Amino acid sequence: MAHWEHFHHQADIGVRGCADSLASAFEQAALGMTAVITDPDSVADSIAIPIHCQAPDRELLLCDWLNALIYEMATRKLLFRRFSVALDGNELNATAWGETIDPLRHQPAVEIKGATYTELRVEQKPDSNWIAQCVVDV
Amino acid sequence: MRHKTTDRIPRPLQRAEFEWEIPASGSMRVPAIIYASAELIHDMDDKVFEQAANVARLPGIVHAAYAMPDAHWGYGFPIGGVAAFDADQGGVVSAGGVGFDISCGVRTLHTGLGRNAIEGVKERLADSLYQMVPAGLGSTGDIRLQEREMDAMLSGGARWAVKQGFGHKDDLQYIEEAGCMSGADPGAVSSQAKRRQRDEMGTLGSGNHYLEVQEITEIFEPTVADAFGIKQGDILVSIHCGSRGLGHQIGTEFLKLMVVTAGQHGIHLPDRELACAPIHSKVGRAYLDAMRAGINCALANRQIITHLARRAFERILPQAELSLLYDVSHNTCKLEQHVIEGQSRELYVHRKGATRSFGPGHMELPESLRKAGHPVLIGGSMGTASYILCGTREAEERSFSSACHGAGRAMSRRAASRKWRGRQVIDDLADLGVVIRSPSMRGVAEEAPGAYKDVSAVVEASHRAGLARKVAKLRPVICIKG
């Protein structure tokens, strides 16, 4: 079943999306990133933002995708709770749904500075499920 | 959870009481040297050793890859990592070796007040500072920079901020580079990075960033303390923050560019996170131009926050006079002169989570501090002590004049937020006489003092290793947590 998890990093935090498709693993990784900041269930999905990225390979594409979301969160003061990702080779087209940050309600723990190449992995497991993960700098 | 040694990762060998070495082997061009006590080495994640050894493999590295006593697992370089490169020997510059938060640093201010002056007004002063200094995710400053002003800020740093009325001209001499990093090119900074900064000037940010009111509880070296203008019982203000969204975006963009172009430059990366470019390359030069603009952004930001802190004090304690002790940056790459085997060379010194610690007599220091040495300002973590140290001449030989920068995390954020509740942390700290203001209870839990290493052990190791000398110990009184 598609899900996200956090993994250990001493100073920062790792986000991992797991799903039966690569696109869905990317969506879950993004949701895991929201969970670094706040409880995703506390975020409404009233605003839709289109995202497009292209990269030389799928690892860099994962970082580009997360960094595009970080940029939109920072400049529009948004938090996201729902994602729809379509992949065509190393090109990504997506929509992210969220709402404006309300510090009192969302209690944002920390601001994410960027997605790093530390523990960066995008791969299909022997059980055919995909994982998409990296450490984000907070 | 910590990573322990596998066969692939070399173990450091003890060379002196506070010095450990991973000898150069395989593709390592130089050894890796770690300054720490046996206890700190024991508790260090093996990823630190792996990362320090990886840094030692980069082209043009000089002498050794260093790790300070507070070193912990970073991305690419360890946090607490120092490495110098010679551009003419194929040396590189690394975006990961500077970090996302370019020129993150600490500025400490005198207040001219003793502890008695703030005893009855702590809560009101905390409210005033919290109201005045924007903190936390999503907070914005009152300053909106349009393109021309943004470029002027990126070229001028704190000097620009003072011209805009944020602070005094006298402040500038107590900032590294006299408040303005030369060689910055706003044209090398993307429009996205500038957009991200548009309404973030004068904001603290979040995570481990803070503004603290502190009391000096102990003086270790009275002569240097005199030169720094401090004595036991003095109330100081420390500001810990960096270049905000602009620096983060520059880091993000150049990390990718350096990975994508590494092959073209003939650089084989042992790990993608070590992304770098030759200093003598288009990408390397562009990064230095942009990174220097990022340094100016951080210097301007801390200058504006200083101005806001002065206003907050004026309301409650009009007799306070907030003047600079010093302003240090701990995520930078700077071109410096260093003597290697009797020969003076120009080197690009990366300090990622490390503080510059020039010794007494260094010409970069303002005259009033020159005899004492570079102030090394070590931040604590809400409930724990902060320290003021001074640079040493020995550090020139030992670490390209570098020392530690803080305690460093001992526990991940996730583990901390499971272990503590923000409200409880605040109540416990109140019992110890520390007033906390923060927009996020979860943020406070993740930053609980217990989640950090013992800052005193890190400072002691820096002192005993000869990287910097202890001058004063401070305790927090008020903490505005981002």
Side-chain angles (χ1 to χ4, degrees), chain A residues 6 8-10 35-38 57 64 67 70-71 75 77 107-108 111 113 117-119 137-138, chain B residues 1 72-75 100 137 192 195-196 206 244 248 252 256 259 272-273 413-414 439-442:
Chain A
H6 291 157
H8 171 82
H9 184 274
Q10 207 173 11
V36 170
I37 308 167
T38 190
D57 57 55
D64 278 8
N67 280 322
I70 291 166
Y71 179 80
T75 53
K77 311 295 174 205
Q107 289 286 302
E111 174 182 25
K113 295 171 187 166
Y117 299 154
T118 299
E119 299 291 303
D137 186 15
V138 295
Chain B
M1 189 189 89
H72 51 285
W73 181 20
Y75 39 99
F100 281 85
L137 179 60
Q192 285 85 351
R195 171 67 189 84
R196 214 166 144 178
S206 65
R244 309 291 296 111
H248 310 164
T252 297
K256 182 181 178 190
V259 161
R272 273 184 156 179
E273 58 185 5
R413 293 184 166 274
R414 192 174 60 148
S440 170
M441 286 304 115
R442 183 175 148 188

Side-chain angles (χ1 to χ4, degrees), chain B residues 67-84:
Chain B
M68 302 293 109
D70 52 338
H72 51 285
W73 181 20
Y75 39 99
F77 283 47
I79 297 163
V82 175

Side-chain angles (χ1 to χ4, degrees), chain B residues 43-255:
Chain B
D43 291 344
M44 239 174 230
D45 195 308
D46 280 352
K47 284 277 180 185
V48 172
F49 310 139
E50 184 183 331
Q51 291 189 324
N54 277 341
V55 172
R57 294 184 168 95
L58 294 176
I61 186 162
V62 177
H63 218 259
Y66 294 99
M68 302 293 109
D70 52 338
H72 51 285
W73 181 20
Y75 39 99
F77 283 47
I79 297 163
V82 175
F85 296 85
D86 187 332
D88 295 332
Q89 304 288 322
V92 293
V93 60
S94 166
V98 170
F100 281 85
D101 199 358
I102 296 167
S103 197
C104 182
V106 180
R107 169 180 292 209
T108 297
L109 310 164
H110 303 283
T111 64
L113 304 172
R115 64 180 297 181
N116 293 340
I118 65 160
E119 212 37 66
V121 296
K122 260 170 30 180
E123 296 284 342
R124 281 171 56 216
L125 182 60
D127 288 337
S128 182
L129 286 163
Y130 188 51
Q131 203 178 13
M132 200 60 88
V133 182
L137 179 60
S139 61
T140 55
D142 286 337
I143 304 156
R144 295 285 177 282
L145 293 184
Q146 297 310 317
E147 204 179 328
R148 266 179 75 171
E149 272 306 293
M150 176 71 74
D151 286 358
M153 180 274 287
L154 294 175
S155 299
R159 213 179 281 171
W160 168 85
V162 167
K163 267 192 207 151
Q164 304 303 305
F166 303 110
H168 320 306
K169 220 174 155 188
D170 289 349
D171 296 341
L172 298 174
Q173 60 177 316
Y174 297 107
I175 305 172
E176 287 181 7
E177 325 303 331
C180 176
M181 186 73 218
S182 60
D185 178 7
V189 179
S190 72
S191 55
Q192 285 85 351
K194 292 174 185 175
R195 171 67 189 84
R196 214 166 144 178
Q197 191 60 25
R198 203 169 67 185
D199 51 13
E200 291 198 349
M201 291 310 295
T203 63
L204 269 181
S206 65
N208 60 0
H209 293 161
Y210 61 76
L211 181 149
E212 260 186 17
V213 178
Q214 306 158 326
E215 177 195 341
I216 297 183
T217 55
E218 201 172 347
I219 296 285
F220 304 101
E221 204 159 329
T223 323
V224 180
D226 269 357
F228 288 177
I230 53 175
K231 61 181 188 309
Q232 190 154 341
D234 277 0
I235 295 295
L236 303 180
V237 175
S238 287
I239 299 160
H240 177 218
C241 64
S243 51
R244 309 291 296 111
L246 182 123
H248 310 164
Q249 191 67 24
I250 291 171
T252 297
E253 291 167 6
F254 277 93
L255 200 62

Side-chain angles (χ1 to χ4, degrees), chain A residues 1-22:
Chain A
M1 208 182 96
H3 67 282
W4 58 264
E5 54 198 34
H6 291 157
F7 62 92
H8 171 82
H9 184 274
Q10 207 173 11
D12 295 307
I13 195 160
V15 296
R16 180 184 294 138
C18 311
D20 58 6
S21 75
L22 183 55

